[in-house]
Amino acid sequence: MNVRRMMAIAVVAAGGFWSAAAQAEETVIWWDFLGGGDGVRMKQMIADFNTAHAGKIKIDATTLEWGTPFYTKVQTSAAVGEAPDVMTYHASRIPLAVSQDILEEITADDMSKMGLSASDFAQTTMDAVTVDGKQYAVPLDTHPIVLYYNRDLLKKAGVLGSDGRPVGMGNKEEFTATLKKLKDAGVEFPLGSVTADGNFMYRTIYSLVCQQGGELLTGNEFLAGDNPEKLEKALTVLQGWTKAGLQSTYTDYPATVALFTSGKAAMMINGVWEVPTMTDLAKQGKLFDWGAVEIPVIFDKPCTYADSHSFAIPKNKGKEISPEKRAAVLEVISWMDKHSLFWATAGHIPAYKPVTGTAEYKAMEPNATYSTLTANMIFDPKSPKAGVAGPIFDIMSNYFVPTLNGEMAPAEAVKSIKEELNSM
Amino acid sequence: MLRNFRTERLVALVLVAPFLAVYLLAFVYPTVQMFRISFTDAPLIGAGRWVGLDNYLRLDNDPIFRRAVWNTAYFVLMTVVPGTLIALLIALGVSRLKGRFQALVLALFFLPYILPVSVVYLIWDWTLNFQFGIAMHVLDWLGIPRVPVFKSRVWFLPAVAGVTIWWTAGFSILLFLAGLRSIPAEIYEAAALDSSTRWTTFRRITWPLLWPITSLVFTIQLILQLKIFDQVYLFSIGGRPNDNMVLVYYVFQKAFQQNQGGRAAAVAVTLFVLVVVVSVLQFQLLRFAERRRR
C-alpha cells in the first residue's frame, strides 16, 4: 500500500467520522420479539430502513425471546431507565403496560408528525391500542389464526371443494365429518393441533367461545352468566376430536408445524405468522399444494381471535427521551407502517389501510383468501389482566393441556379457571 | 511472640470487608426487602399498599400453592435419597477401577454435570418428545404405545427427577470418591486379614467412615432440590405448569406472569423458612444418628 493511498483512506475515514458527527446520526435502539419466519422479514425491513436513512438514522435492533421473558425485561428495564427507544408490543398487553406506567403516550401531534391519522387504521385495531381515550402505540398489523390445509391430502380424501377450499366449514358436525373422512382416507392426523401448549390453544379456544357470542370478562367478573357453559362447550368439542383420534395429542408447537409440513397432518390451526414458513418451503419445492382460510365456524357465527403487533415508546424512568431521538423514533414507526406491504409477506395483515388498499396487496396469496376474516375478528378483553403471556392467558392455558388430551373433564377445568381468574 | 490484637483485628476486618459488603448488598438487603414486600400488595415493579398478613392467609386455601408444596416434597423425595444412593454405588464401582481407565469412566459420569440446564433440556426433549423423540421410535418398533413423558400428569415429576439425578450425580460421585480415597488402606488390609466379607467390610468400615461425606452430599442435595426450578420450567414450557407446580415456579408465576410481587414474596418467604427449617432439622438428625453410632 503506498503512502498516498493510506493518506486517502485516513482522510476519508476522518471525513466520514466528521460528517457523521456533524449530522449527529441518531441511533434508535429497537427491541422486538419476532423470532420466526416473520423475524427474517423484519430484519430485511430494518436493513432497508437503514439504507434509506444512511447517515441520519440507524436502527440498532435486538430480537428477544417472545412472551413472558420479553415483557418482564421491558418492565424491569423501563423501571431503571435502560429500556430501548422503540419496541414491538402486542396490543393486547397495552392495558397492563399502562397500569404499570411504562409506555409514552402517542399524541395527536406525534401522529401528524408521522403523517398518519387514526382513520388510516381499522376502528377495532385503533381501539386496541387506546386506553381511556389515550393512544399508547401505533399498530403495525393484525395477526389472526387461520386454518392451513394440504390440498393434495384433502383431494385424496374427497373433501376439497371445487373452489380449492376445504368442505365442511359451516358447523361442528360438518367439520367433524370432514376430519373423519380424512382419517378414513388414511391420514394419520386430520388436524394437527398444538395440544401440548396451552398458550397456543388459548387463541383457538377464545375464538370458539366468541363463536357462541361468549365473553371472558363482563364488567369486573370473569366468566359471568352462561359463559362458563360456552367455554365448556368449546373445550368439549376439542377434547372430542382428541378422543376420536382426529387431532394430534401432546404435540408441542414446533412438532405441530413439522407434522403439517411433513404431510402427517392434513390441516392445522395456526397463526398467520407461519405463512412465510410455507411460502419459503414451497419456493424450494419442498411442500405440497397448500392453502389457508378463515377458521371453520363450529358454533353460531364466524369469529376469530386476533391480536396486533404495534410499536410503542417505553417511558424510561429518569431518562427522558430527547426531542431529536423522539423524532427519529417517529420516523422509524412511520416508515415501517408505510412500507408494510413487505410485512404482509410475513402473513400478517398490515394495519395501515393505504397499504391493504393497494392492488398489489389484494392480489397477494394466501393473504387475500383469509383477509375476509378481518370482519369477524375479536381482540382480547380490555383489562390490565389480559394480553399474550399475561395473567388471564397464563391461568387459562394452564388448564388446556390436560383437558385437550383427555386427562381432565372440561367441566372441572372450567370450574378451576373461573375460580382462579376471579381470585386474582 | 506478642500479638497486637488491634492490628490483627484491623487486618481481619480488611480481609473480610469485601465479602461482607457483597453479602450485605446481595443477600441481607434483598432478604429484608422480600420480607417487607410480602406484607404489601406490590406489583412486580414499584411499591404497594400495606396489607398485613393477607398474602399469607390467602396461601392457606390456595390449591395451587398446596400442589406446589406437595410437588416440591415429592420431587425432593424422588431425587435426594435415590440420587445420593446412586452416586454412592457409582463411586464404589469407580473406586475399584485403576489409573487412566478410572479417569475415563469418572469423566463419563461427570460430563452431564458440566452441561447447562438448557442443553440438558434439549437432549432429553430430543430423546423423549412425544411426536419426534428418538425413544418414541424405539417404543413404536417394540410395539409399545408411546408415553407423553414430559406432558402427562403422572410421568412429569418422576421423569424430571430422573433427568436431574442423571445431570447432578457427577458432583456427588466426586465427593464420595474423595471420601473413599481418604479411608486408609491399612484398615481394609486389617479387615482382609480377619477375612471379613465384602458386605461386612462395607457395613463396618466403608459406610461409617463415609458417613460425614454422605451427610454432606445429602444436605447439599436437599437444599438444592427444594429450590428446584429450571428443569421444571423448561420441561413445562407451554405445557401444564399448574400440574407441575413447584414452589420456586410459583414465585415466578406470581411475580412475572401475574404481576403480583407481594404474593410472590409471601411464597418466597415461605420457601425460605421451609429450607432453613428442613436443613437445620436434617443436620441435627444426622448428627444425632452419628452420635448414636459411636
Side-chain angles (χ1 to χ4, degrees), chain A residues 112-359:
Chain A
S112 71
K113 271 187 194 152
M114 286 187 280
L116 302 175
S117 86
S119 60
D120 289 335
F121 302 91
Q123 189 62 44
T124 44
T125 318
M126 212 57 200
D127 281 349
V129 296
T130 310
V131 176
D132 296 332
K134 286 183 183 168
Q135 186 187 342
Y136 287 95
V138 181
L140 170 66
D141 66 30
T142 42
H143 50 281
I145 51 170
V146 289
L147 178 78
Y148 292 85
Y149 59 97
N150 178 330
R151 280 207 186 91
D152 300 344
L153 286 179
L154 263 60
K155 197 182 276 173
K156 213 179 86 188
V159 288
L160 190 71
S162 53
D163 56 354
R165 298 181 183 204
V167 299
M169 305 290 285
N171 60 47
K172 187 181 80 190
E173 287 71 30
E174 276 179 37
F175 191 69
T176 308
T178 301
L179 294 178
K180 276 201 182 117
K181 274 188 195 152
L182 283 162
K183 186 92 189 168
D184 294 341
V187 176
E188 197 176 347
F189 302 110
L191 185 63
S193 288
V194 195
T195 40
D197 193 335
N199 283 333
F200 186 82
M201 290 308 281
Y202 175 83
R203 302 178 164 97
T204 309
I205 291 161
Y206 190 44
S207 304
L208 294 186
V209 170
C210 169
Q211 289 193 354
Q212 306 167 66
E215 55 184 10
L216 286 180
L217 188 60
T218 315
N220 272 327
E221 196 191 347
F222 289 98
L223 294 173
D226 64 344
N227 287 310
E229 287 92 77
K230 286 171 178 164
L231 176 60
E232 192 184 327
K233 269 192 197 165
L235 290 172
T236 309
V237 169
L238 290 165
Q239 193 186 60
W241 289 343
T242 309
K243 285 188 172 160
L246 299 177
Q247 71 181 346
S248 58
T249 49
Y250 296 114
T251 316
D252 54 26
Y253 188 90
T256 312
V257 178
L259 283 182
F260 180 71
T261 53
S262 66
K264 280 189 179 177
M267 299 200 242
M268 164 175 79
I269 293 178
N270 204 333
V272 289
W273 52 87
E274 286 299 342
V275 164
T277 312
M278 308 299 158
T279 42
D280 292 354
L281 279 175
K283 214 180 280 166
Q284 296 161 25
K286 284 183 192 156
L287 201 68
F288 40 81
D289 187 10
W290 67 287
V293 287
E294 189 171 343
I295 62 165
V297 182
I298 300 298
F299 295 103
D300 317 325
K301 58 167 191 181
C303 189
T304 304
Y305 166 89
D307 201 342
S308 166
H309 290 138
S310 63
F311 289 112
I313 307 174
K315 195 184 268 182
N316 251 335
K317 286 263 155 60
K319 250 191 210 172
E320 283 293 302
I321 188 166
S322 70
E324 295 80 29
K325 178 84 89 190
R326 197 178 171 105
V329 166
L330 293 179
E331 169 60 18
V332 169
I333 297 175
S334 160
W335 191 93
M336 289 292 163
D337 264 24
K338 288 173 183 165
H339 291 76
S340 57
L341 182 64
F342 182 71
W343 186 235
T345 64
H348 307 288
I349 303 172
Y352 187 55
K353 276 190 197 162
V355 165
T356 47
T358 58

Side-chain angles (χ1 to χ4, degrees), chain B residues 238-288:
Chain B
R240 45 191 322 159
N242 261 3
D243 296 309
N244 312 338
M245 191 59 70
V246 286
L247 280 166
V248 181
Y249 200 131
Y250 198 45
V251 175
F252 170 80
Q253 194 191 46
K254 280 278 163 241
F256 294 101
Q257 291 195 296
Q258 298 177 6
N259 197 37
Q260 296 173 322
R263 292 179 66 185
V267 180
V269 168
T270 315
L271 177 65
F272 180 80
V273 172
L274 196 75
V275 170
V276 171
V277 168
V278 169
S279 46
V280 167
L281 208 71
Q282 183 256 0
F283 188 72
Q284 293 298 339
L285 268 175
L286 290 180
R287 253 189 26 183
F288 178 69

Side-chain angles (χ1 to χ4, degrees), chain B residues 11-23:
Chain B
V11 170
L13 200 71
V14 168
L15 290 177
V16 172
F19 173 78
L20 205 66
V22 172
Y23 186 78

